[in-house]
Structures are given as C-alpha cells and as structure tokens.
Amino acid sequence: MQNLFIGKGNLAKPPTLERNIARKTGEEFIVAKMRVMFSRYGQNNHGDFEQVGGFWREVEIYGNKAEACARFLKTGARVLVVGEERDFIAKNEAGDEVQVIKIVAEDVALQLSRIESIQFTPSRGQQQAPNPGSDQGGYQGDYQSQPQEFDDIPM
C-alpha cells in the first residue's frame, strides 16, 4: 500500500452495491461504494470535546467485504476504514475535470460504540454455536467470578 489511510467516520447513507467487469480477465467483481465523514475533535475553551473539522471521502471496497458492508452498514454507522488514498480525475456537473480523492479500502470495520446487539452465526465447520459460558469461548456474563485467574500475572 503506497498511501496508507486509517480513519474513523460516520456513513452518510447505506453503501451501494455495484457489479463491475474486470477489464483484463472479463470476470465480474463487486464494489460497495459509500460516503464517509471523517471528523476531527478537539477541546473548546470550556474543556469540552467538540467537532473542530473533518472531511468527506468516497470509500470503495471490493469482493466479499463489499457484500458484507452493503448488508450490515446503515446510515450513520460508525466505521473504521483502512485503505489507500487514490487520486482520480472526474467531471463535475459543468463538465469540467476535477481531481477527486477516494479511499480504496482494504477493510471497513463496524465500531461498537452504537451497537445494541450482535448475533453470530456458527462457523462453517461447526454444526451448532457454542453455548454461552461453555469452554468454547462464549461470554459468561460475569466478570467478577473470574479475577483469580489474573492474580499471578506480574505487572
């Protein structure tokens, strides 16, 4: 990756899913396109944090990740985008050529700050999801019953 970009932002609207044809191989590939506001925050004179700037970027992601983005991401979703900034030449409404900076994402991750619930599906090799509290790594719901496991770790 030449121009690494990592940013957190909010979606303007749900991603749109498009099917494109690869030029050399003739194979079809899937693209999810989304517009994300990457905000900057800072302290004001009263010590409170507020938005002090930011920028909009078009974000594209390809393949299975594109399908997942289109399926799960909604307007206002808080996302972490990892990818590469790329310059493109496009035409505006007047027909003039303008430079556009897009982010071609390697990954788009949903941030958990505004999530109410998550439901996992079983992995492909597993017939049934593990029961919560089993030794399969499920959430046990009681952090207070576990601290003795960490008492011997030197700090």
Side-chain angles (χ1 to χ4, degrees), residues 1-113:
M1 227 181 270
Q2 297 174 6
N3 237 346
L4 180 63
F5 175 88
I6 301 172
K8 289 181 186 178
N10 294 336
L11 291 181
K13 58 185 179 180
T16 59
L17 202 58
E18 299 178 7
R19 296 188 186 278
N20 288 327
I21 304 296
R23 293 185 182 138
K24 293 182 182 178
T25 63
E27 292 181 48
E28 195 174 78
F29 65 96
I30 298 170
V31 180
K33 295 182 177 184
M34 59 199 100
R35 191 159 170 77
V36 181
M37 173 60 171
F38 295 98
S39 302
R40 287 191 269 262
Y41 291 89
Q43 279 187 308
N44 62 18
N45 296 336
H46 305 291
D48 298 325
F49 283 94
E50 63 183 21
Q51 186 175 337
V52 295
F55 54 93
W56 287 96
R57 283 288 183 268
E58 298 293 328
V59 176
E60 293 180 351
I61 190 164
Y62 304 99
N64 293 338
K65 292 179 182 179
E67 292 175 325
C69 285
R71 183 174 173 202
F72 293 114
L73 299 179
K74 307 292 181 221
T75 300
R78 185 86 174 148
V79 293
L80 173 70
V81 177
V82 177
E84 181 178 341
E85 285 186 317
R86 293 191 188 163
D87 293 354
F88 294 92
I89 301 297
K91 292 192 177 189
N92 64 12
E93 295 169 359
D96 301 322
E97 287 188 351
V98 293
Q99 180 183 8
V100 177
I101 299 173
K102 289 184 181 180
I103 298 168
V104 177
E106 181 180 317
D107 205 1
V108 175
L110 182 62
Q111 298 292 280
L112 299 177
S113 58

Side-chain angles (χ1 to χ4, degrees), residues 97-155:
E97 287 188 351
V98 293
Q99 180 183 8
V100 177
I101 299 173
K102 289 184 181 180
I103 298 168
V104 177
E106 181 180 317
D107 205 1
V108 175
L110 182 62
Q111 298 292 280
L112 299 177
S113 58
R114 295 173 45 195
I115 302 298
E116 285 186 26
S117 67
I118 296 174
Q119 181 177 345
F120 293 98
T121 58
S123 64
R124 291 181 185 158
Q126 200 173 13
Q127 294 295 332
Q128 190 173 352
N131 294 328
S134 72
D135 59 83
Q136 299 290 319
Y139 170 64
Q140 296 179 1
D142 185 8
Y143 288 117
Q144 295 176 358
S145 66
Q146 301 298 323
Q148 65 275 9
E149 294 178 21
F150 302 105
D151 289 343
D152 330 2
I153 298 175
M155 298 288 181

